[in-house]
Amino acid sequence: MRLRLTLGSALSLLLSGIIAASPGGLLPQWQEVFDPGSRLSLYFNLYLGGLLLGLTLARLTPVRHPWFPMAMVLAGLGLLGVASAQSFDAVLWAALPLGLGVGAINLSGNSLPGDLYPERRMIVLSQVNAAFGVGAIATPFLVSFFPWREVLTAFAVLAFLGAALVWKAPASRPPAADGGHPGNGWLWLLVLAIGLYAGLEQGFATFSGAYLTELGYPTALAGALLSAYWVAFTAGRLLMAYWVARDPLRHLTWLVCGAVGVALLYFLPPLPLLFPLAGFLIGPVFTTLMALGQGRAGNAAVAYALYAGASGSTLVPALFALLPVAGIPWGLLLVGLALLALTQRLRRLDARTAL
């Protein structure tokens, strides 16, 4: 049973990665078929509303069964709604159930492995989270080179399979007593940093393809580079985890500086073709910040991190959607600089606490 539930958690996070990467991969097709215009911002806002509601319901309900499998089914139904959409209005109707399902999936899928393997929580959670990267890697490639409606239908079938695997998932364990932390100010700065990080991650993922097509590059190339972005993202999270852990905030500062440098490349065509480098650099940021929060402020910080990630990954792209395509580099640069400033502030506060 433990193996089945572990596989189900991995499949749930695979689905989360699929849905997270879908707007970036589908945006060129949506522009061609639906011409969504400014309504794209409404999609992100509806998705955010559903995601926050799903996360809240999951946080307030320690019982995972039947809510976890129901969330998987709901996300699958949302994917079917997008796959069968004949207008962008139908896509908008699917945004809310997609967000609702993903919100509950993110909390349950991330917390269940820790309850199943308390003695190896960090190792198993890192391994299971790799599924998110796999979903994010595969999605832009698949929807660019194969009929996107059929691809989304296949993803919906995976969601229904995942619901069967997490059937009868056990309730959450009571939170353990955690150590002290350097104050609420530090925690809220951490939460804000996570929100900006999530916005930067999705900004690169969602709008780089549209920016490249605006520069005259083919849609297939943009989709392939977006898949390369998620490959680099997953590789960075796995390969740099041990290095970042040696001095987390110092090393994160260096990585965010590198991401700002990639944003500057957008002003210098054809260098925007190098945007997958940003994925490698920011890959470890979220997991490192969430681990810092959990270590300093307890298990409640995990929920706060997910709230921040959900908000940032939706609100920041919604703001980007209001920009002309030529303004995307400025948006990426400003968000990256804000994240850099927050990381430096956290580093200084952390140093004072150590004294």
Side-chain angles (χ1 to χ4, degrees), residues 160-185:
F160 301 145
L161 175 61
L165 289 175
V166 299
W167 190 255
K168 295 290 186 181
S172 301
R173 295 188 177 190
D178 291 293
H181 57 82
N184 287 333

Side-chain angles (χ1 to χ4, degrees), residues 196-221:
L196 286 174
Y197 152 76
L200 185 64
E201 173 201 302
Q202 282 299 310
F204 278 118
T206 302
F207 292 96
S208 294
Y211 185 68
L212 289 175
T213 55
E214 179 74 9
L215 293 177
Y217 294 100
T219 299
L221 175 62

Side-chain angles (χ1 to χ4, degrees), residues 197 200-201 204-205 208 212 222 224-237 239-240 243 252 254-266 270-285 332:
Y197 152 76
L200 185 64
E201 173 201 302
F204 278 118
S208 294
L212 289 175
L225 287 174
L226 186 55
S227 288
Y229 169 87
W230 289 114
V231 169
F233 176 87
T234 303
R237 178 166 289 183
L239 297 178
M240 291 197 289
W243 173 73
L252 286 187
W254 295 353
L255 294 178
V256 175
C257 280
V260 170
V262 174
L264 288 171
L265 297 181
Y266 280 58
L271 294 182
L273 294 172
L274 298 176
F275 86 86
L277 289 174
F280 184 79
L281 293 168
I282 65 175
V285 174
L332 294 171

Side-chain angles (χ1 to χ4, degrees), residues 15 19 69-84 90 93-98 101 152-153 155-157 159-160:
L15 184 66
I19 295 173
M70 286 176 61
M72 298 282 284
V73 170
L74 188 60
L77 293 175
L79 288 169
L80 288 178
V82 176
S84 60
W93 278 106
L96 190 62
L98 277 173
L152 292 185
T153 301
F155 289 158
V157 173
F160 301 145

Side-chain angles (χ1 to χ4, degrees), residues 20-41:
S22 290
L26 290 171
L27 186 55
Q29 288 91 332
W30 283 355
Q31 288 175 332
E32 181 179 346
V33 176
F34 301 129
D35 189 22
S38 61
R39 290 185 298 165
L40 184 62
S41 179

